[in-house]
Amino acid sequence: MSNNNTLLVQMTKDELMQDFEQVIRKVVNQMQVQQVSKDEKQAYTRDETAELLDVSLTTLHNWNKQGIFKPSAKVGKRVYYSKDEVLARLKGE
């Protein structure tokens, strides 16, 4: 016969949501830590891209609006530029 221990915990909806948020934050933080090294990054933030290209955020925004240099991904309000595209732009391609 199998010994199956079951524990029931009573919690509010808000407490449950807080637990879910903590788990999600941990997972997101672990994913970010794995991509911290710039050599391993596949995409750069707006700030990193502007710094690498030696342009202002305004210029980067204008290039995006004009279709000159578009971001490769958007996550929520965050914009990311492809590492390959940024390096190609640096080389003048």
Side-chain angles (χ1 to χ4, degrees), residues 30-44 48 52 81-84 87:
Q30 288 173 350
M31 292 171 60
Q32 289 174 341
V33 166
Q34 291 173 355
Q35 295 183 358
V36 166
S37 172
K38 283 195 175 191
D39 293 337
E40 296 176 10
K41 277 190 169 188
Q42 296 302 311
Y44 295 116
E48 291 170 332
L52 286 167
Y81 291 85
S82 162
K83 176 183 178 180
D84 295 335
L87 295 178

Side-chain angles (χ1 to χ4, degrees), residues 5 9 14 20 23-24 32 41 46 59 63 65 77:
N5 294 329
V9 178
D14 290 337
F20 279 135
V23 170
I24 291 170
Q32 289 174 341
K41 277 190 169 188
R46 290 180 59 232
T59 299
W63 286 353
K65 289 291 185 187
K77 293 183 179 181

Side-chain angles (χ1 to χ4, degrees), residues 48-65:
E48 291 170 332
T49 302
E51 183 178 333
L52 286 167
L53 297 176
D54 196 27
V55 298
S56 69
L57 290 173
T58 303
T59 299
L60 201 57
H61 175 77
N62 288 337
W63 286 353
N64 179 19
K65 289 291 185 187

